[in-house]
Each structure stands twice: as C-alpha cells, then as structure tokens.
Amino acid sequence: MYTKRREKLVSLMKKSSIDMAVLVPGPNMYYFTGLHLKQSERIALAIITKDEKLYFLMPQVELNKMDTQNSNATFSYSDEEGPFHALQQLKQQIGLLGIVGVEFDSMHVKEQRTIEGLTYEHLYDIGEVIRELRINKDSNEIQLMRQAVNIVEESLKATLPMIKAGISEMEVAAQLEYEMRRRGSEGTPFGTIVASGYRGALPHGRASTKTIEAGELIVLDFGSIYKGYVADITRTVAVGEISPTLEKIYSIVKQANEAAIETIKPGITAHEIDETARAIIQNAGYGRFFTHRLGHGVGLSAHEEPYLMQQNKVVLKTGMAFTIEPGIYVKDVGGVRIEDNLIVTEDGYENLMTFSKELINL
C-alpha cells in the first residue's frame, strides 16, 4: 500500500521536476511510509527520491518503531551527537540535487535549517502535489473512518446521561475523552469543545470551568483518531427547557445541515454546497451569525482538503471526505452547530454518522 502511494507521488514529482521530497512527522509521513511519529525537538525526516528510493534521518530513540525492510537506508543519531553527522552520510548517499520538495505548511524552521545541510538549488512546496493524492480516500481509508465515527457516536451516547445542571464543561469533556479512549481512540485531533449557554456563541469554545445551567444549549464538538484516521462530530443538546429563540436557531441549523447534505454528489462544487446551507440561514435572518465555512475535509488530519466554502470552485469527486457543519452563534445568547462526516459516492453520498439530529433535552 505505502509503496504504491510513493509510486504515485514520484509520478507527480517528475511532472514538477522535483528531485526529492522531504516529509516531516505527521499525516504525510504516515500516509507514504506507515511511520507514525510526532514532531518534536528531535529531527526526524523521511526522504523519497525521484528514483523511488526511501531514506530516513532518524533519532535512535525512534528506531524501534521502524520497519527497516521498508527503506533503502536509515541514518540515525544519538541525542548527544545530534543529526549533523547522519545528515552528512545522507548527503553522500543522494548526491547533488536540483529541486527539493518540502511541506511548507508543516515543516518547522529547525527542520528546514537541518536540510540546508544538503546540496540543492531551491525548495519547492510539495503540499499541493500531496493534497492531490490524499484528497480521494480508498476503501480501506473509508473503513477506518467508519470505525473512528463509531467511536465518537458510542462515546457521545455513553456520556449524555451524565450531563446535567451543576456539572462543569471540563467534566463533560473528560468523560467524552475517557469514553473514546475506552473504545480505542488514539487521542483527540483537537481540543474538545464543550460550550454551554453564552459560551455556545464561541465556535471554538473549548471546555472551561463554567458550570452548566438549566435552560442552556451545549455545543459538543469532539473527535477520535483510529489507526491515524479522524472522526469529527458536533451535536448540540439542551439541558431542560430552552427558550423559543434557541429552539428556532436549532431548527434553522438542522434544516441547513440536512439541505446541504442532500446536494452532495460528484460534479457539484464546494461553493454550491456551502451556498445551499448559507442561503437557508440568511433567509431566516441569521446570516451574519454564521461566521465560518460550511465544512472541511477529514482523513488523516482533522482539517484538510476539500474545504466547503464560498468561492471554492473545487468539483467533488468520488472518495472525497468532508464535514457538513453549519452553525449560528449569537453573542450573549448561545450557539448551535450540527456536524456530520460525509463521503462522496458514485451516485451521491454516504453519511458516516447515524447519531440523531433531533434536539435532545437532557
């Protein structure tokens, strides 16, 4: 699987005259090599050359994670000696280079300064080339995403009974994260959002020490990671009876979510889907309170291509995966967001999420 992915990458590299791709720890390194690392103060690089060779520059502490048969050579270093000598060995192996592709949106300055020890003409942002490969998910990736979705849905179901007036947002977040871990999540792809009452007007209102009160809506936005793949769900629930205004806002967002989903099919643009949801919210008089794009791609990253937003003319194709998450956020009143994870199919879409979108009163 990883070999075939690298072959596709090399094919695109050749079209752009890229001699070598340098990947840092993160989704792209995992996608092309199967090596799952996090960026840290220790330099770790995967190098893919135009002749389809794979090299690693790696701290010794990470060597046990590697399948040495998967690469042509690994150049390692200890904490005491640092990466300089290993980099020189790598340099001797690969020789002179013209264009080196790097991840401009992921590479740290320290990592870039390290590869300046190689001999090349200039750096090229290889991000667009990689995004072209990762944007369409294969059947194996989609199955892993289904598993990640199952984790978030079952964890939400297990957590709802403990939510009540008098507990804090932090307690709810802790329970959600505990339930996800119990079900196999490798962690959270972003800070868990539990935003109750007036804090619901914060689209990124991560859990605080605020106490939940009766009559409030709570925006619950959280994610799981299963074998590298992310699920990202948002549901908004009520604690006790809520005001007619909040009920109206909830109904509008639900309608926008469902209408946008029904438009999904190959050939439609990201802009058109966003516009479908946005028009419903605008026509209801809440347009200025919908302050973000409709959705974002999801896969090995919580946010990736395609982005469903105004003016984005990208055409949907089979295998694209993304969220649909309209929202309304009214300062000092509250907020509502409802989010599903979708896959574009040959004749429409598959909604990976089955959790009810009817308003739940706890």
Side-chain angles (χ1 to χ4, degrees), residues 217-219 234-238 242-258 281 286 326 328 335-339 355-361:
L217 287 176
I218 310 171
V219 179
T234 308
R235 290 295 185 267
T236 302
V237 300
I242 58 173
S243 69
T245 297
L246 291 177
E247 288 184 345
K248 179 182 178 182
I249 290 173
Y250 189 94
S251 177
I252 295 166
V253 172
K254 179 173 177 287
Q255 182 184 354
N257 169 281
E258 294 173 340
I281 293 174
Y286 286 89
I328 294 176
V336 174
R337 182 164 64 252
I338 302 173
E339 177 184 23
F355 204 96
S356 175
K357 285 180 274 196
E358 298 299 321
L359 180 59
I360 297 173
N361 288 89

Side-chain angles (χ1 to χ4, degrees), residues 176-190:
L176 283 169
E177 292 174 16
Y178 166 72
E179 296 292 347
M180 287 192 290
R181 284 287 196 179
R182 286 186 63 225
R183 291 167 172 78
S185 180
E186 297 159 13
T188 58
F190 53 87

Side-chain angles (χ1 to χ4, degrees), residues 5 7 10-11 103 122 154 175 189 202 218 251 275 301 322:
R5 289 175 177 176
E7 289 173 353
V10 167
S11 177
E103 305 171 78
H122 67 270
E154 290 300 313
Q175 189 68 31
L202 301 172
I218 310 171
S251 177
E275 184 60 30
S301 301
F322 48 81

Side-chain angles (χ1 to χ4, degrees), residues 346-358:
E346 291 183 0
D347 57 357
Y349 66 89
E350 176 188 354
N351 191 341
L352 299 182
M353 291 182 167
T354 62
F355 204 96
S356 175
K357 285 180 274 196
E358 298 299 321

Side-chain angles (χ1 to χ4, degrees), residues 40-60:
S40 72
E41 75 281 5
R42 296 183 176 100
I43 300 296
L45 303 173
I47 296 96
I48 301 170
T49 66
K50 64 181 180 181
D51 56 355
E52 299 185 14
K53 291 183 178 179
L54 174 62
Y55 302 106
F56 288 99
L57 178 71
M58 198 64 50
Q60 289 180 356

Side-chain angles (χ1 to χ4, degrees), residues 141-159:
E141 291 178 290
I142 293 171
Q143 184 56 35
L144 293 175
M145 293 173 69
R146 290 193 185 102
Q147 291 291 103
V149 165
N150 182 66
I151 288 172
V152 293
E153 292 196 324
E154 290 300 313
S155 298
L156 178 56
K157 188 185 302 182
T159 300

